[in-house]
Amino acid sequence: MKHRKKALANWGNAVLFLGPTTIFFAITVLVPFIYGIYLTLNKMDTPSDPLVFSGILNYVNAIKDADFWSSLWLTLKFVVATVFFVNLVGFGLAYLVTSGIRIQNSMRTAYFTPNLIGGLVLGYIWQFVFVQSLPAMGEKLGIEWLKLGWLGDPHMAFWALVIVTIWQTSGYMMIIFIAGLISIPRDLIEAATIDGAGPFRRLVNVTLPLMVPSFVVTIFLSLKNAFMVYDLNFSLTKGGPFNSTLMVSMHVVNKAFIESNYGTGQAEAIILFIIVAVVTGIQVYSSKKMEVEA
Amino acid sequence: MSTKRMLTSTFAYIISFVAFVCFIFPFFLLIINSFKNNGDILTNPFSLPIHWNFVHFVDVVDKMNFLVTFKNTFMITTLSTIFIVFFSAMAAYHLVRKPTKYNKTFFTILVASMVIPFQSLMIPLIYIYGAKLQLIDTLPIPLLIIFYIGLGSALSIFIFHGFIKSIPVEIEEAARIDGCNTIQTFFIIVLPMLRPITVTIAILNVLWIWNDYLLPSLILNEENVYTMPVKMKVFSGTYMNNWELLIPAILMTVLPILIMYMIGQRYIIKGVMQGSVK
């Protein structure tokens, strides 16, 4: 009798503590995800159409969709460029504001500010910079490359997206790096100094190996952000000029909601999921192996 | 201080100042140009306004339906955040203290779900809740809040989980001996101890939900339920290249969050820092 009462109480607690999360998680992530895989096996142009089983037809269409692969290829280039620069700039800033200069706290605050604003609005802000301000500045100072409208040129528009992404997210990575940098024991740095290591040797041989856990987090976040970029892409370039900056997220959105091809759009979204899962999985696994003990 | 040392620190000051200018100048441009007319904006985007003109702000408040849009965004953000924080704390506590096989699996699924891109959920979400259940047209705001709770809980539970693991279980055992049941122990003993990490999680969720665009743009189809990013998108389409209206509109969209940052910047930076250390 007592046992049964206790079991009942345990069961009640589990329902109370886990129940709400389980329900919300199930109805917004778990069920849609599994149902989404099922949807790819059906022909569906708009959501009001009845589902008709079509096997792997959607995947065949996705594989034949040249625009999908070019948007994916572009996204990969974007991923490589932003992951590299965001981490480089973020680490540089963190190194700078932990080096002991007096104004470091206000600098920290300033560098983080772009993170508070969403990609969509940032895109509009930078549109003003690229379309109005820089050309006006180039005109006044006679600098040729500023005069060109960056967003009108396919090559420059891509780099405009990269620059704004660096500007937006490096401050966030900086904070993560700061947390890592201040946890490095001072005596390790001092020992290296006594052994005759200069600032550069200290950075490469002592600081960086101890920062691997921070890099695991920042690279994971910047990878995921870059693969999923949509808001900024949408507001800054709208994929243009001539679809030259149309990334994969935007392609999926357009495919489903504008071209009314839900089935193929969903198949492409699942392919995107597989790529993101594999890439981030490899990244976390391989960089975890690089971690060292202080 | 040696000369070499001084040179290095001068160099650090210069670099940090240049970086400061790079990070701040778009905001600076936004502020000085929000008081100008189109003519001045086009010819002199970098100069201070000659006449300080507030009329466009008044215009924008009216044209953006600012009060309603702000109220919608505020309501969606606060309600979602409160529910996420509350439910995630409870779930994480249970998952840490009762590591049964089922709970471990559930936690693994939660963590693994963090790599699912939103793009692979949005089409089924629209299909199930729009076409089948017709909830998008009838109850857009409650539905959006439910989606945020579901989409936000994995990361929040993950961060809470890491924090709760470091709390010694002895404190709770003492409470148990004093006659508290699990529910009382959680609310009286554990919840107050979670305060620092709760602030972190609340901040991360507020920033995400306040600025989110893609999900609300799919769910909110009526003008009177728009959030600020959705409204900003519509506004920028209507007044394309009309910078004397667009710039004040952008400024007013970002201002609430910038004010919040000015008040709570210490907590925000500390919060992000704590959230990152697993």
Side-chain angles (χ1 to χ4, degrees):
Chain A
M1 188 64 200
K2 208 176 166 198
H3 266 288
R4 263 181 66 188
K5 213 174 152 193
K6 189 141 181 268
L8 209 66
N10 277 342
W11 183 226
N13 282 336
V15 169
L16 181 73
F17 280 84
L18 279 185
T21 304
T22 314
I23 293 169
F24 287 111
F25 181 71
I27 63 177
T28 55
V29 181
L30 219 51
V31 172
F33 183 67
I34 294 164
Y35 198 70
I37 293 173
Y38 167 71
L39 282 181
T40 61
L41 302 176
N42 290 278
K43 182 176 158 42
M44 178 180 54
D45 294 335
T46 63
S48 43
D49 292 350
L51 295 180
V52 182
F53 186 78
S54 65
I56 57 162
L57 187 68
N58 284 320
Y59 289 96
V60 173
N61 285 340
I63 286 166
K64 280 202 254 169
D65 182 1
D67 290 343
F68 172 60
W69 293 106
S70 67
S71 73
L72 201 59
W73 176 238
L74 185 78
T75 310
L76 275 179
K77 281 197 272 187
F78 181 75
V79 167
V80 172
T82 54
V83 169
F84 178 76
F85 284 113
V86 164
N87 281 283
L88 184 74
V89 174
F91 186 78
L93 293 175
Y95 205 66
L96 203 63
V97 297
T98 50
S99 64
I101 53 173
R102 215 174 304 145
I103 43 172
Q104 60 188 24
N105 278 340
S106 17
M107 289 298 157
R108 212 181 273 195
T109 310
Y111 301 155
F112 185 77
T113 315
N115 270 288
L116 304 164
I117 298 158
L120 185 91
V121 176
L122 284 182
Y124 293 128
I125 297 177
W126 278 85
Q127 220 177 49
F128 180 67
V129 173
F130 285 125
V131 175
Q132 295 298 335
S133 311
L134 291 184
M137 193 187 201
E139 202 70 52
K140 276 221 173 92
L141 305 173
I143 306 171
E144 208 52 48
W145 59 273
L146 280 180
K147 268 198 248 176
L148 309 165
W150 278 42
L151 302 180
D153 177 84
H155 189 68
M156 303 281 252
F158 173 79
W159 286 102
L161 280 172
V162 174
I163 289 172
V164 180
T165 308
I166 300 169
W167 181 80
Q168 180 190 8
T169 51
S170 54
Y172 194 92
M173 305 309 161
M174 170 193 76
I175 301 291
I176 299 175
F177 285 127
I178 292 173
L181 281 171
I182 55 179
S183 68
I184 292 178
R186 283 210 80 90
D187 44 338
L188 269 177
I189 306 278
E190 276 161 23
T193 317
I194 292 164
D195 288 344
F200 184 71
R201 286 288 301 273
R202 285 203 299 265
L203 175 67
V204 174
N205 291 347
V206 184
T207 310
L208 281 180
L210 290 170
M211 289 295 286
V212 171
S214 305
F215 276 103
V216 176
V217 178
T218 58
I219 294 178
F220 174 79
L221 290 175
S222 45
L223 265 177
K224 205 182 149 204
N225 288 344
F227 267 115
M228 291 173 57
V229 64
Y230 176 82
D231 297 7
L232 180 68
N233 194 193
F234 178 76
S235 60
L236 189 63
T237 67
K238 281 213 170 60
F242 319 115
N243 294 348
S244 58
T245 58
L246 201 131
M247 310 264 187
V248 66
S249 282
M250 203 188 231
H251 177 84
V252 172
V253 172
N254 291 353
K255 190 97 212 162
F257 304 126
I258 294 174
E259 288 175 33
S260 283
N261 197 340
Y262 274 65
T264 308
Q266 179 60 14
E268 293 174 348
I270 296 293
I271 296 174
L272 175 68
F273 158 71
I274 294 168
I275 294 172
V276 174
V278 168
V279 171
T280 51
I282 293 173
Q283 181 256 329
V284 172
Y285 179 76
S286 61
S287 45
K288 279 264 178 207
K289 279 197 353 206
M290 283 166 63
E291 279 183 29
V292 290
E293 292 285 323
Chain B
M1 207 195 255
S2 68
T3 353
K4 202 179 153 195
R5 211 62 189 290
M6 241 167 79
L7 218 70
T8 328
S9 94
T10 316
F11 187 63
Y13 273 106
I14 292 171
I15 299 264
S16 53
F17 186 71
V18 170
F20 176 81
V21 172
C22 290
F23 276 90
I24 290 305
F25 92 93
F27 295 110
F28 176 73
L29 283 180
L30 211 57
I31 293 168
I32 59 170
N33 284 302
S34 59
F35 299 101
K36 295 183 197 168
N37 290 325
N38 267 336
D40 288 340
I41 296 173
L42 298 186
T43 47
N44 271 325
F46 291 96
S47 64
L48 287 173
I50 308 163
H51 319 284
W52 294 78
N53 202 338
F54 286 86
V55 66
H56 299 307
F57 283 102
V58 183
D59 214 11
V60 164
V61 169
D62 185 43
K63 287 197 166 96
M64 274 188 95
N65 206 355
F66 186 80
L67 292 177
V68 175
T69 317
F70 181 85
K71 192 202 82 195
N72 292 339
T73 323
F74 186 80
M75 197 173 78
I76 292 169
T77 309
T78 29
L79 284 178
S80 312
T81 305
I82 290 170
F83 284 122
I84 291 175
V85 165
F86 203 63
F87 292 151
S88 303
M90 289 172 71
Y93 173 70
H94 191 80
L95 292 174
V96 173
R97 291 295 183 240
K98 300 266 169 7
T100 62
K101 212 160 135 197
Y102 167 78
N103 287 348
K104 278 184 187 159
T105 319
F106 184 56
F107 184 63
T108 314
I109 293 174
L110 278 175
V111 174
S113 79
M114 283 195 276
V115 300
I116 300 177
F118 173 69
Q119 285 76 11
S120 30
L121 297 175
M122 67 188 177
I123 295 168
L125 283 175
I126 299 293
Y127 182 77
I128 300 170
Y129 298 97
K132 290 290 144 213
L133 302 175
Q134 300 287 339
L135 288 170
I136 290 181
D137 293 330
T138 48
L139 293 167
I141 289 186
L143 188 68
L144 189 58
I145 294 173
I146 289 172
F147 286 172
Y148 279 129
I149 302 171
L151 294 168
S153 39
L155 179 67
S156 304
I157 290 176
F158 181 65
I159 300 175
F160 268 130
H161 194 273
F163 189 84
I164 295 171
K165 260 197 302 197
S166 67
I167 299 178
V169 71
E170 283 79 15
I171 304 170
E172 291 157 44
E173 275 163 5
R176 202 66 55 83
I177 292 164
D178 290 344
C180 285
N181 61 29
T182 313
I183 297 159
Q184 287 165 326
T185 315
F186 176 75
F187 284 98
I188 301 168
I189 311 292
V190 180
L191 207 52
M193 286 195 290
L194 297 182
R195 227 187 70 175
I197 204 72
T198 303
V199 175
T200 300
I201 289 167
I203 289 166
L204 291 176
N205 283 303
V206 166
L207 288 180
W208 161 52
I209 297 169
W210 186 279
N211 290 315
D212 196 29
Y213 168 69
L214 184 52
L215 175 62
S217 77
L218 298 173
I219 308 268
L220 308 174
N221 297 319
E222 299 282 332
E223 151 119 61
N224 61 345
V225 291
Y226 280 172
T227 59
M228 309 267 271
V230 179
K231 187 77 212 184
M232 190 61 231
K233 187 252 155 187
V234 174
F235 194 80
S236 86
T238 317
Y239 298 96
M240 206 185 285
N241 292 331
N242 193 348
W243 293 108
E244 67 181 12
L245 286 178
L246 281 179
I247 293 175
I250 296 172
L251 189 63
M252 294 200 49
T253 311
V254 301
L255 216 52
I257 213 109
L258 286 183
I259 291 172
M260 191 190 96
Y261 185 52
M262 276 175 209
I263 299 167
Q265 44 135 318
R266 266 187 47 217
Y267 296 96
I268 293 174
I269 296 214
K270 231 171 84 188
V272 172
M273 223 185 255
Q274 268 166 345
S276 69
V277 198
K278 309 195 187 164

